[in-house]
Amino acid sequence: MPATFDVLSLIQPSGDLTLGNYFGAVANWVRLQDEQRCLFGIVDYHAMTVPFQPSKLRQRTWDMAIDLQACGLDPERCLLIVQSLVPEHTELAWIFACITPYSWAAKMTQFKDKSRQVEAQGASYSAGLLLYPILQAADILMYKAAHVPVGGDQDQHLELARDVARVFNREYADIFPEPTPLHTEAPKILSPADPTRKMSKSLGSKHVIGVFDDPDVIRRKVKSAVTDTGDAPADGALSPGVEGLLTLLDVSGCADEAQGFREEYARGNRRYAPLKEVVGDALVALTDPMRERRAALRAGRKAVKRQMGESSARAREIARATLAEVREATGLPPLPQ
Ligand code: AMP
Ligand code: TRP
């Protein structure tokens, strides 16, 4: 069966985008939207699987819609949705939940990690957390997507989506193409405060640089980034912090400058202030237009909501068609027209 979308990927409305999210995911989506039929979106249902605040959930969902567009996703060039504005996702997730062995869900690494985290905060984890990857399978299979660009941490969930598709196709009707992960060589962006770890909001604010941080903040965080701690590595290799800064320069479109610094450092120069200066400038230059677009989109918040509603309504038509097939194959009655 033909894929409806070549590429599909979704992101949680988890607050401001970091440079890690941008270079690791969103920049790639922006590139793909001109090359393939793409669906991108914001998974607010997934954000409910751990304790959440209603007012924040809604705010962050609209903020993320704005931020993705400010980064360059264009609703004219890709289908951009809010998951819960296509409530059929939950219906398909329910049907999938009923054909998926419990043990497949219970063995997911992310479920084990997150359930432990929630318990450590003194709360009990929800049944939704267990169903998380099944909802993710519904997101993907609903649109018969061929490729799913995700970080390696999502491989297990993607494998589950493939398994669900296989079970459905075998037991009920051959409807779903098996989605494959799309591992483009997305760079790993490191924490400026601890470059042995990935940049991540869960580590704390000094570990992240936000795409929409003020230019001063970006420069300051780059300036205070950890480089060599004590002596430089003896074998002539660069320390993780220096590599991290060079990566930022590479991915900001300044690969030549990065190469220049690499050559100097290979000759034994260990001065990092000039590198930090250039990295700060490059990041600010790259993000300036995004900050501008974000301000404009925020000023027209209503229009963004309307537009997200319209594009989600278009997605809904595809979702309804898929569910009609699924209901037919599983013995549920067709919905009255
Ligand atoms: P998260 O909100 O952390 O689940 O990340 C959303 C997306 O951004 C995923 O596709 C991640 O792979 C990507 N991402 C997050 N942090 C980084 C990072 N430090 N380096 C590269 N990619 C990242
Ligand atoms: N679980 C994904 C993440 O945390 C988000 C997600 C939900 C997703 N549904 C998806 C990603 C469907 C790709 C396709 O990054």
Side-chain angles (χ1 to χ4, degrees):
M1 72 294 318
T4 308
F5 285 91
D6 303 314
V7 173
L8 174 150
S9 198
L10 302 164
I11 191 165
Q12 291 217 33
S14 56
D16 290 342
L17 285 175
T18 68
L19 290 181
N21 301 137
Y22 179 73
F23 291 121
V26 179
N28 192 28
W29 298 1
V30 172
R31 253 190 316 274
L32 286 167
Q33 70 180 342
D34 288 322
E35 295 163 12
Q36 317 226 262
R37 286 171 303 168
C38 296
L39 184 150
F40 301 113
I42 303 154
V43 286
D44 48 351
Y45 282 142
H46 277 103
M48 303 174 84
T49 56
V50 291
F52 65 96
Q53 287 176 20
S55 60
K56 265 201 188 159
L57 177 61
R58 186 174 295 170
Q59 173 86 21
R60 285 181 170 181
T61 300
W62 296 129
D63 284 349
M64 186 60 91
I66 287 174
D67 290 359
L68 290 175
Q69 292 186 39
C71 286
L73 282 188
D74 178 357
E76 304 277 315
R77 289 184 277 164
C78 63
L79 190 55
L80 193 54
I81 69 164
V82 172
Q83 182 191 36
S84 75
L85 293 179
V86 190
E88 285 77 8
H89 285 228
T90 52
E91 185 186 346
L92 188 57
W94 173 257
I95 296 168
F96 284 165
C98 295
I99 66 161
T100 303
Y102 172 87
S103 62
W104 291 6
K107 75 170 187 215
M108 293 288 121
T109 314
Q110 185 181 293
F111 169 66
K112 291 188 201 160
D113 290 347
K114 282 203 182 172
S115 55
R116 247 182 256 128
Q117 278 168 26
V118 172
E119 274 191 328
Q121 290 158 10
S124 53
Y125 56 87
S126 66
L129 193 60
L130 179 74
L131 295 180
Y132 180 117
I134 295 177
L135 177 58
Q136 183 164 349
D139 298 336
I140 299 166
L141 300 180
M142 182 73 92
Y143 302 99
K144 305 186 178 179
H147 303 291
V148 183
V150 279
D153 61 328
Q154 294 296 315
D155 281 353
Q156 209 185 18
H157 288 172
L158 213 56
E159 194 51 46
L160 183 76
R162 294 165 60 83
D163 290 342
V164 170
R166 220 172 284 137
V167 169
F168 193 96
N169 290 343
R170 193 185 60 222
E171 301 290 329
Y172 303 97
D174 196 3
I175 293 178
F176 298 112
E178 285 178 32
T180 56
L182 191 64
H183 290 303
T184 40
E185 68 305 353
K188 194 160 118 190
I189 306 300
L190 305 175
S191 153
D194 177 359
T196 61
R197 306 170 77 174
K198 245 174 68 165
M199 179 180 288
S200 165
K201 273 189 291 247
S202 58
L203 298 175
S205 68
K206 67 175 180 180
H207 293 277
V208 296
I209 302 176
V211 174
F212 300 102
D213 279 352
D214 280 340
D216 295 352
V217 175
I218 295 181
R219 287 208 170 85
R220 181 163 43 74
K221 286 193 169 166
V222 171
K223 247 186 206 133
S224 56
V226 170
T227 49
D228 293 345
T229 42
D231 292 339
D235 55 0
L238 298 172
S239 51
V242 179
E243 282 292 0
L245 289 167
L246 290 167
T247 299
L248 282 176
L249 206 49
D250 273 331
V251 295
S252 303
C254 304
D256 290 349
E257 282 92 331
Q259 187 52 28
F261 281 109
R262 280 183 207 283
E263 284 162 15
E264 270 192 47
Y265 295 148
R267 287 195 290 271
N269 174 357
R270 293 284 164 192
R271 285 182 58 241
Y272 302 122
L275 170 63
K276 288 178 169 181
E277 193 74 29
V278 176
V279 171
D281 287 346
L283 290 175
V284 169
L286 180 84
T287 51
D288 259 340
M290 300 184 201
R291 268 183 300 276
E292 252 172 58
R293 274 202 297 271
R294 185 205 220 197
L297 288 160
R298 285 194 158 191
R301 232 178 151 75
K302 265 209 187 119
V304 173
K305 291 183 192 174
R306 193 176 341 107
Q307 175 276 313
M308 291 303 291
E310 284 165 11
S311 50
S312 301
R314 269 186 282 140
R316 221 172 161 190
E317 289 182 16
I318 302 169
R320 287 207 185 103
T322 302
L323 268 165
E325 290 180 273
V326 168
R327 293 178 70 102
E328 176 63 31
T330 53
L332 295 166
L335 292 174
Q337 289 304 310

